[in-house]
Amino acid sequence: MTNVNSRNDKPLILAGKTYQSRLIIGSGKYQDFDQNLAALQASGAEMITVAIRRVNLGQNKGEPNLLDVISPDKYTILPNTAGCYTAADAVRTCRMARELLDGHKLVKLEVLGDQKTLYPNVTETLVAAEQLVADGFDVMVYTSDDPLIAKRLEEIGCIAVMPLGAPIGSGLGIRNPYNIRMILENATVPIIVDAGVGTASDATIAMELGCDGVLMNTAIAEAGDPVLMASAMRKAVDSGREAWLAGRMPRKLYASASSPIDGTFF
């Protein structure tokens, strides 16, 4: 459960469901499903994203199934199209997820441009988004930190836009906070930073910018102690959100005494 003061905050609503946690974690790179579950519990996240091409949700009979450990009755499963490099592959993968999850409509669209950078292929992402929205999916979409593209994806009908903070798995943190701020200024759907978070302070910065949430995988899964890092991320997201709600003091070029000197004796 989050510690954010909800009295002054708007809820995070995705596809008609209200979430208390603004942290979404992934399901890749963990030692096993049990460690993934322990990290999920420590993070306080209510949504976990799953790469349909890499994680068994029942498509591989006789192999360990993530859903045997992480219940879709308790957590929102967010199938994603990681590993797809064309719109056609992404759309096909989402349709497979819908079949595996009994008509589940909420998906994370991710169409990559190349294996070296894993940057989004924006052209193919736009094509896939249009097809998926027309097909009745609720689409959360991973994209570049381009404000114009973010707005276009919103206009297409995506329910959340997820600009990268830095390349996937890089842990470089939020490289271009000014673009994220421009995206936020024009957004009417939730903006969730996806990719680039390396440690807790990166998550806090994303939230201090005013983002509605943060999605991460590697920062937790590849930490020395994934469960402890998941706990740290939970607090970082809450802390950043509270700081954003509180409002930052203005930055000043020169010093300003903490205690006023007017009227003092010496």
Side-chain angles (χ1 to χ4, degrees), residues 2-211:
T2 179
N3 293 320
V4 171
N5 184 346
S6 59
R7 289 178 301 176
N8 299 320
D9 203 0
K10 63 178 181 180
L12 174 62
I13 301 175
L14 297 167
K17 182 175 179 179
T18 300
Y19 293 88
Q20 299 301 315
S21 173
R22 294 177 181 275
L23 174 59
I24 304 169
I25 76 166
S27 54
K29 302 180 179 178
Y30 286 93
Q31 178 180 312
D32 51 38
F33 288 160
D34 289 334
Q35 186 187 59
N36 197 170
L37 174 61
L40 178 60
Q41 292 171 331
S43 74
E46 300 161 280
M47 181 182 291
I48 179 168
T49 187
V50 179
I52 294 298
R53 291 187 162 202
R54 298 172 185 149
V55 178
N56 185 30
L57 293 181
Q59 64 269 45
N60 300 320
K61 306 298 182 186
E63 296 183 7
N65 186 334
L66 178 71
L67 301 185
D68 291 336
V69 179
I70 297 175
S71 171
D73 294 331
K74 183 173 182 181
Y75 297 100
T76 297
I77 306 298
L78 178 63
N80 72 60
T81 61
C84 293
Y85 289 83
T86 67
D89 280 350
V91 171
R92 189 181 308 114
T93 301
C94 288
R95 289 172 177 166
M96 180 192 302
R98 183 163 59 185
E99 291 180 11
L100 290 169
L101 296 171
D102 300 325
H104 185 92
K105 297 193 302 178
L106 181 64
V107 294
K108 178 194 162 191
L109 172 62
E110 179 178 318
V111 185
L112 303 176
D114 64 61
Q115 294 186 359
K116 183 176 181 179
T117 66
L118 297 182
Y119 259 70
N121 182 325
V122 172
T123 305
E124 290 291 295
T125 298
L126 290 167
V127 172
E130 289 179 341
Q131 292 183 10
L132 290 170
V133 170
D135 205 13
F137 284 95
D138 295 317
V139 181
M140 299 170 65
V141 56
Y142 168 68
T143 185
S144 62
D145 58 3
D146 183 330
L148 298 182
I149 294 299
K151 193 63 183 176
R152 178 62 191 135
L153 288 165
E154 179 184 328
E155 291 168 348
I156 286 171
C158 295
I159 66 161
V161 176
M162 310 174 78
L164 57 80
I168 292 173
S170 68
L172 291 173
I174 310 299
R175 293 295 83 196
N176 197 338
Y178 302 103
N179 274 27
I180 300 293
R181 286 180 59 182
M182 284 190 279
I183 290 171
L184 287 163
E185 284 180 3
N186 294 312
T188 59
V189 299
I191 301 299
I192 299 171
V193 162
D194 180 5
V197 169
T199 190
S201 56
D202 297 331
T204 301
I205 289 171
M207 297 307 296
E208 286 178 345
L209 290 170
C211 292

